[in-house]
Structures are given as C-alpha cells and as structure tokens.
Amino acid sequence: MQRVEALVGRLAAAGWLTQDRVRAALHDVPRHLFAPPVAWTGDGDRVSKESDPEGWLDLVYGDDAIITQLDDGTTDLATGAGRFTSSLSASSTVVSLLELLDVEPGHRVLDVGTGTGWTAALLSCLVGSANVTSVEVDPAVSARASANLKRADLAPRLIVGDGAHGWAPGAPYDRVHATCAVARVPYAWVEQTRPGGVIVTPYAPGFGSSHELRLVVMPDGTAVGRFTGYASYMLMRSQRHPEWDASDRHGDPSTTDIDPRTIGYAPAGADLAMGAALPGVCARGAHDGRAYTLRL
C-alpha cells in the first residue's frame, strides 16, 4: 500500500525508524484497521471514512495521534468536544518506544493500555501473538481492540484490568511496554519482569515535559535506566493528575524576583530534577495578555 510505504519512508527519514523488524511490522499491520470511522486529531483535523475515504486514509497514515475516546466514553466521539481519554497513538512515538523495547522473537511481553490494539498487533508481529498479554482498564475499549485485532488476524491475550497491577498470571515477562503515561512506575511491573528484562514507558510526573523512560530490571528487584527523549501520552487512569480549572482563582498568588519563565521554559533535564524535588506538584505556565503566570 502506497500510504504505508510513504509513512515508513517519513519515519525512517526523520530517524524514528531504524530497525528492519519494526519496519516489517508496520507493513504487516495496516494502521487503518485500528482507526475509528470518524477520525480526527487533537489539532481539530477531522474526516469521515464514509464521506471522504481518501481524506480519512490520508489522516490515518499521517503522523498524528487519532482521538478514539472522549471523557472515558461518556461523550460522543463525533462531537470532538471533551477530554481526550484514548487514542491511536502517533506512529513516530509508537515506533520510538518499540525500538527502545528491543524485542526478539519469543520474548514474553506485557503491553499496558491496549487502546485500539495497534501496538499490541505490532508486538504480536514482532514476538508472536501467543507471547503478548495486553491489559486495558476500559471494557468497551478492550472490546473494540479485540474486534480490530480479529480483522488483522492477530490474537494476543487481552485482559480487562488496571494495568498498574500488571498481569501476574503471565509473569515473568521479558519486556513491559506501556501505551499510557505514568507519574510513578508501578512496582508490579518490576516484580513481574525477569532480571535483565526491559520496561519502556512514557513518564509524565506533572512538572514540565513528558519523557520516554527505559529501565532494565536488576537481580535485586530494582530497575535502573535513563530518560531517552520526549513522549506525550495520556496518563494511566489511576495516576491522573488533578484537573486544572482556569476559572479557579483559589490559592495564594505571589510574585518573585525569578522570572517564572525560567521555570516554565526549563529544558527537560531541569524539569526532571524539579519534579523529583517536588513530588506530587504539578506545574502549568500560561500567557495572559502581557503577563506570564506559572500555576503550581
């Protein structure tokens, strides 16, 4: 399919796609099988498969995340108005995390956050369906993923449950892969991964940027690793940060000799250091006319 080849070419040219086996999986698992009939991005690009099939395919094979659920399913997706709570993740970010995972055929993989099922499908091509266990907290989302995977002729094990607890009956795993962000890495993932196994997850402490995190599990029950880049994903439901309310003026306003943009525009490494020093504190900066306000 020309669109698949064009997407693969763009990802390779941008440096996201370097592994031949991930390239092959992208060819073997058509992304459009996992997209909703009304597809739109968080930037407001929207198209219907029924009314504009070519435009729909163009959007699906772009490099945008496709929104697939609003307000945990309580708002009609077609309205496009609500909190984003599930998506078909952007291809470049999916590929980046898969390459960090560095799977081999036969590896046993725990996939946290089934979503549309696309990443579980790619993993199934990489390691074999029988070796993939994918956990999704939302039963309706899991059911749609099951239908999508059936159309792709793939059958990983699908579990409805809180991915923060992993899935102990399938342990030990060689790899743990998350398609949702966490503010704290659940220790259950470490416990359920063999020594030398790898955990890859988006990390979003709430202070500043979101990050790719790759950990290697050690024989003593710890996990060590590094932050490798930027990755913006929706947070795991059980770890969501408090909602910001722009109309809420409660709290203690203050001024400072430090330009708040020094904090708000800090680079990723500084974000991580400040977030570690201020556990549980979320930060958001915003321009209001001529002023810049940092809310904590």
Side-chain angles (χ1 to χ4, degrees), residues 30-56:
R31 194 170 188 248
H32 67 270
L33 295 180
F34 298 85
V38 176
W40 60 282
T41 70
D43 294 328
D45 299 318
R46 181 183 185 277
V47 68
S48 165
K49 180 180 180 182
E50 181 178 359
S51 61
D52 184 7
E54 293 300 311
W56 181 81

Side-chain angles (χ1 to χ4, degrees), residues 62-130:
D63 189 25
D64 289 306
I66 304 297
I67 307 305
T68 58
Q69 188 190 67
L70 299 170
D71 300 321
D72 294 333
T74 62
T75 299
D76 183 1
L77 179 63
T79 66
R83 181 183 185 183
F84 307 158
T85 51
S86 193
S87 72
L88 173 58
S89 302
S91 302
S92 57
T93 311
V94 169
V95 166
S96 180
L97 292 174
L98 285 178
E99 293 209 347
L100 283 175
L101 200 64
D102 196 27
V103 293
E104 297 288 347
H107 271 165
R108 294 169 58 81
V109 181
L110 173 66
D111 177 50
V112 178
T114 309
T116 65
W118 186 48
T119 305
L122 293 169
L123 286 167
S124 294
C125 287
L126 290 167
V127 302
S129 290

Side-chain angles (χ1 to χ4, degrees), residues 212-244:
E212 291 178 336
L213 173 60
R214 186 183 194 271
L215 299 170
V216 177
V217 175
M218 309 303 287
D220 63 358
T222 61
V224 299
R226 63 182 57 196
F227 300 96
T228 58
Y230 175 77
S232 179
Y233 270 66
M234 298 169 191
L235 271 161
M236 177 180 286
R237 287 193 187 182
S238 60
Q239 292 193 15
R240 283 176 179 167
H241 303 306
E243 284 287 311
W244 291 94

